[in-house]
Amino acid sequence: MHPVISVENLTKTYTSNFRALDSINLEIQRGEIFALLGPNGAGKTTLINVICGIVNPSQGRVLADGHDIVSDYRAARSIIGLVPQELSTDAFESVMATVKFSRGLFGKPPNPGYLEKILRDLSLWEKKDANIRTLSGGMKRRVMIAKALSHEPQILFLDEPSAGVDVELRRDMWDMVRGLRKSGVTIILTTHYIEEAEEMADRIGIISKGKIILVEDKIKLMDKLGKKQLKLYLQSPLANLPEEFAGYPLELSADGNELIYIFDAQSEQTGITDLLRQLAKHGIDFKDLQSSQSSLEEIFVNLVSARP
Amino acid sequence: MNLYAIRAIYLFELARTWRTLLQSIASPVITSSLYFVVFGSAIGSRMTEIDGISYGAFIVPGLIMLALLTESISNASFGIYMPKFSGTIYEILSAPISYGEVIIGYVGAAATKSIILGLLILATARLFVSFEISHPLWMLVFLVLTAVTFSLFGFIIGTLADGFDKLQVVPMMVVTPLAFLGGSFYSISMLPPLWQKIALFNPVVYLISGFRWSFYGVADVNVAVSVGMTLVFLVLCLIVIRWIFKTGYRIKS
């Protein structure tokens, strides 16, 4: 099965000579939730904008379900929905009018039943006749999602969907995204909320300075790059770490009450048994211990900061 | 062709007119009515006929054309500038719609509004002054051709403008003076010979002259030249718009 989005050697250089995207190659599989992570200015929004037709590519090619986004733009764009990062709405229109407009714009005949379903799913039905400028920021975000879904897209781009929305709406959106995925929609989201990617994504792509530096299955990524740490709560505080432990990846907390041992979760030899033996040998007792795995956020920060 | 998209843009733009009825329709109709009252009924009754036409009747085509030009530019420029300003242009750019279809939607709606306005002013004028229309079909041709051409011109202004003030510059500083000096209130033949020649560089002269011919059968310039000049301006606008969309200038980076 061919990928639903295929990006080949995509480069975008603005007239100011700023290279926002640098030879991007990326494939998005049908029906997956793909999270694109990256610091501000990494090129996430530019990549989405090129795929959606808002920004012209300088070089390279993008196929959406096999359709070239430039030469076969009608077929490509008709299957793509976009919720942009900025809250851009028609202030003086009603919710229903703007959603109907979006559906028409994407070449779909009127379907009041479908639009009602979307508005109900997004808790907007009661506001269908409300003027958009009277809505809260969160409700406007829902309107933008409704507009993006109005033409029944097969691919949905969510550019920072949780920016500026409360926890309740974020949870609602996550549920909605999962529901869309179940119905076969491919979701590509960019986010600053790493927990969002961690919670929802099947695969993670990391972009930095216009280059894709990693694309990996989320679970594999966390397994591969995730460090585990073992925290030992000592019976008595230590002033210094004995010299015999200099070879261990071991840290003593500032107050001397905790020892933190970092190890590779994938390694066959974690070294824990040996460490505990050595501690016992030196009379260092602990009253409790706790192990934890590094979050996606830590992995992301490590990856991005490791690059020049 | 994405007919649903054209329909969506067209109806969306017309809906804005109904929402702003006072500004879009009532205001220009009232302004034109005041011209008819002052220049047609009050002062006009004391003025001599021009080319055998009472002064009140003589200014009707010019005033309709003045409103048509300014409103066509204003409607179309505002129509495309607003999505740029609010950021909703992203939806137009990401939709499966060709540039031609975008133009038909926006310019079609702007021209429709202007034509409705022109016909309303025509009907209003009839309340104040008496006149006949010798060539009603040609009157409609000029009305539609001018509305479409200047809506295209307005679309260009709205695309290039980077502020609300810029939207008003061309209609207020260029088009209105050209319309006033283009024979709205007088015949070009009333000017001294040198100014008659200079006036021929004013494109609005051809529009007003042709439009007035459709009413009374008299014109400052040959009617075929009027049609030709309007078509030339229309083609020029289309060429500029094609370039804008091809390069994405001020629309797409």
Side-chain angles (χ1 to χ4, degrees), chain A residues 53-54 56 74 77 93 102, chain B residues 19 91 93 95 101 252-253:
Chain A
I54 298 167
N56 288 323
R74 280 191 199 271
R77 292 182 193 173
E93 283 291 337
S102 298
Chain B
R19 275 202 313 272
E91 212 176 9
L93 296 175
E101 289 156 2
K252 205 171 175 179
S253 49

Side-chain angles (χ1 to χ4, degrees), chain A residues 153-223:
Chain A
Q154 294 171 28
I155 304 162
L156 181 65
F157 284 92
L158 297 164
D159 194 0
E160 302 281 356
S162 304
V165 302
D166 59 28
V167 176
E168 188 191 352
L169 176 54
R170 196 180 305 167
R171 289 280 164 195
D172 283 355
M173 279 202 301
W174 291 2
D175 289 342
M176 184 206 70
V177 167
R178 287 191 194 97
L180 285 170
R181 198 258 294 268
K182 266 186 196 167
S183 67
V185 176
T186 306
I187 317 271
I188 298 107
L189 63 94
T190 70
T191 179
H192 274 102
Y193 297 100
I194 309 282
E195 70 270 23
E196 195 162 58
E198 200 167 342
E199 169 94 18
M200 299 210 302
D202 300 311
R203 286 198 307 150
I204 307 277
I206 295 179
I207 184 169
S208 180
K209 295 174 183 168
K211 293 187 177 192
I212 295 279
I213 56 176
L214 182 139
V215 174
E216 187 63 274
D217 179 275
K218 180 186 70 182
I219 296 166
K220 281 185 189 165
L221 177 66
M222 294 189 67
D223 283 348

